[in-house]
Amino acid sequence: MDKVEFAIARTSHFVGLWDRSPYSVYNSRMNQAETEAPLKRTFRGSRDALIQKAIEEPDLSRRLLVTLNAFRLLNGAVLLGLFFIKSDPRFFGHENPALYLTTASAYLLFAVLAGLLMRQRKQPSVALATAQIVVDIIAIVAMMHASSGISSGIGGLLVIFVGAGSLVLPTRYPVVLAAFATLVILGQQVLAQLMGLTASANYPAAGILSGIIFAIALAAEPLARRIQASEALARQFGVDLKNLSELNQYIVQHLRESIVVVDAHDDIRLINSSAIRLLDSAFTIEGMPLEASFGPLARHIREWRKNRSLSSHPEFTLTTEGKADRITAHLAPLGKTGERTGPILIFLEDAGLMNARVQQSKLASLGRLSASIAHEIRNPVGAMSHAAQLLAESEALSEDDVRLTEIIQTHSSRVSHIIDNVLQLSRRESSRPELLPLGDWLRDFAEEFAGTLELQEGEFTIGDIPEELEVRMDRGHLRQVLWNLCDNAVKYASETGGILVEVNGGRLQSDKRPYIEVVDSGLGVDEATADKIFEPFFTARSGGTGLGLYISRELCELNRATLVYLDRPGGGSIFRIVFSDPRRWDTQDEE
């Protein structure tokens, strides 16, 4: 399971981005501790730089100004609407109705124009923001003057506008705006006193309001700096997270391992390109049910979720339709305690490729073993055979003794043949696959095979082979496998009193992979024997070595092909070679 755990570590971060279930592989406390440390270092080390970056990229400033202008628009509409409510006295504007109506109308129009202007400009300037706050101060003080002055309560809106402006404007601007608001308020008080509006003149209240505005402006400055720094940090971490997510996505998609992640409902949440090619499904996309892409795997997962007696990290082999592909699947639950109801990480491996790698190792080991066999067995067997031949030439031997020498020679020859087959398998070189037009190649093969075995016309035939059909395999390996299959078919067919062997070719309906099949009219293979015919040294015929079919299957797997036995309806046997798709082979070689 080391390989599974290693791949889980490589993909867990990406899976954690979408997994919000209780079975998430993330440890929230560890993540929080790991995040806070770099956050503090970044904030302390480059605070001024981050503030400058926030000013240069005023995303926060724009949002605040848009929100402030929406409040300005609502405020202007409410103040103008209250003026038209009939009451005695009016809510606002009873001291100077004309001034109030003009100011409120102009203020509402200004809010609309400011909103349109900010929509056209992606990054509002400092001058525009300052101008808006200045207009707010003048308009509110004018409406306050047209009402009952400080006692009307309209002046309290200055705290909101100056405070909000302090959050978005650079240093020293808030203090200047607070000073300007104070001068305008005091100017309104002086003007009200000169005009004889003694009820509107209230210097203590004006001083308190001005002090509140100054306090808000001064307090907002450090708060604004913190907000700007936090905004820059959030933007920086957002970019880092996006880059990390893209990097994880790239790594997962280019892993050699085929990976599929399904959620608790067996819907595909993540699948890399290698898994898509292995499943060979054009409809495999994230978000769709696994059942639609690969039904056998989905059924195994459902059974594994229900059956608690099965291993928590099972491994099983599946076969695609037509027995063309064998896929090994490893299940690794992503829950903290191995809970089976949560998401699952699935590793898929092409059993054909694994067998090809194992084959290389087996051939190397068998080569060393066979070299020893050749020296230790072949020479004694040859000596016994030669001695039996010399003994048979003696005239003093009886018929029974001659029969015994024939038995010695026959079995010595058989042992020598077995040794030759083992040596031939052990010395097998790596395959050199090439693209072969199957129709032309089979016609040449049929002519050579029928001529060598001196078969009569009609005893060995080639069926209809599509002209465009091509296979990818070592030419010598294909000839050896097909010759062995056809030779067996001729021998077994002759036991029925007549030889009838046919070679067909085409494409599987399930996945369009090319195939060749050798069909004979012999006695066939019973069900109990069919499972053993590909085992080494197993034979049901007297005098056979039991290595022909074993070597044939080994050569097929070495070329990423599959050799299978099928029952023939009506009697006889079918041996089918299912080749790897040439286009898929080219894609894997490029990787």
Side-chain angles (χ1 to χ4, degrees), residues 554-570:
E554 292 292 315
L555 292 177
C556 287
E557 292 183 349
L558 189 62
N559 289 269
R560 304 183 191 178
T562 305
L563 176 60
V564 295
Y565 168 78
L566 303 173
D567 288 327
R568 182 189 180 192

Side-chain angles (χ1 to χ4, degrees), residues 397-428:
L397 293 179
S398 63
E399 292 183 1
D400 292 338
D401 293 336
V402 171
R403 176 57 182 164
L404 292 176
T405 58
E406 291 177 354
I407 293 175
I408 294 174
Q409 293 181 30
T410 300
H411 287 280
S412 297
S413 176
R414 183 183 179 188
V415 172
S416 179
H417 190 201
I418 292 175
I419 294 174
D420 290 339
N421 286 336
V422 172
L423 290 175
Q424 182 185 22
L425 178 62
S426 63
R427 293 171 181 172
R428 182 68 55 198

Side-chain angles (χ1 to χ4, degrees), residues 208-379:
I208 293 175
L209 178 60
S210 299
I212 294 175
I213 292 175
F214 261 106
I216 293 296
L218 294 175
E221 181 179 352
L223 178 61
R225 293 175 65 84
R226 283 188 171 274
I227 293 176
Q228 290 169 344
S230 300
E231 175 75 5
L233 278 174
R235 187 183 302 110
Q236 176 180 332
F237 278 108
V239 172
D240 293 341
L241 181 60
K242 181 180 179 181
N243 293 337
L244 184 59
S245 176
E246 293 177 353
L247 177 60
N248 288 333
Q249 177 73 10
Y250 180 85
I251 292 174
V252 170
Q253 290 299 327
H254 290 79
L255 280 174
R256 291 185 178 181
E257 293 87 355
S258 300
I259 295 176
V260 182
V261 179
V262 297
D263 59 15
H265 305 289
D266 292 340
D267 294 335
I268 298 176
R269 300 302 300 271
L270 169 65
I271 182 169
N272 62 358
S273 55
S274 176
I276 293 177
R277 287 194 300 271
L278 185 59
L279 295 179
D280 198 19
S281 174
F283 305 100
T284 302
I285 57 175
E286 296 181 9
M288 71 177 299
L290 182 62
E291 180 75 28
S293 297
F294 196 32
L297 179 58
R299 290 189 288 273
H300 272 79
I301 292 177
R302 287 198 297 268
E303 177 64 23
W304 173 77
R305 290 185 189 274
K306 297 177 182 178
N307 192 350
R308 298 287 176 173
S309 62
L310 298 177
S311 172
S312 60
H313 291 74
E315 174 181 339
F316 47 85
T317 301
L318 306 171
T319 304
T320 59
E321 295 183 5
K323 299 182 179 180
D325 271 336
R326 288 181 294 169
I327 298 176
T328 302
H330 308 260
L331 301 186
L334 295 177
K336 296 179 181 179
T337 59
E339 186 63 37
R340 305 189 182 199
T341 58
I344 303 173
L345 179 60
I346 307 170
F347 297 90
L348 302 176
E349 294 180 336
D350 191 339
L353 295 178
M354 294 177 61
N355 289 335
R357 298 189 186 103
V358 173
Q359 176 70 9
Q360 298 293 338
S361 177
K362 287 183 359 183
L363 290 179
S365 300
L366 193 55
R368 292 188 292 268
L369 175 63
S370 61
S372 176
I373 292 176
H375 289 288
E376 300 296 332
I377 299 180
R378 174 175 254 176
N379 292 336

Side-chain angles (χ1 to χ4, degrees), residues 124-138:
S125 62
V126 175
L128 178 61
T130 305
Q132 291 178 354
I133 304 301
V134 170
V135 172
D136 291 330
I137 294 174
I138 295 174

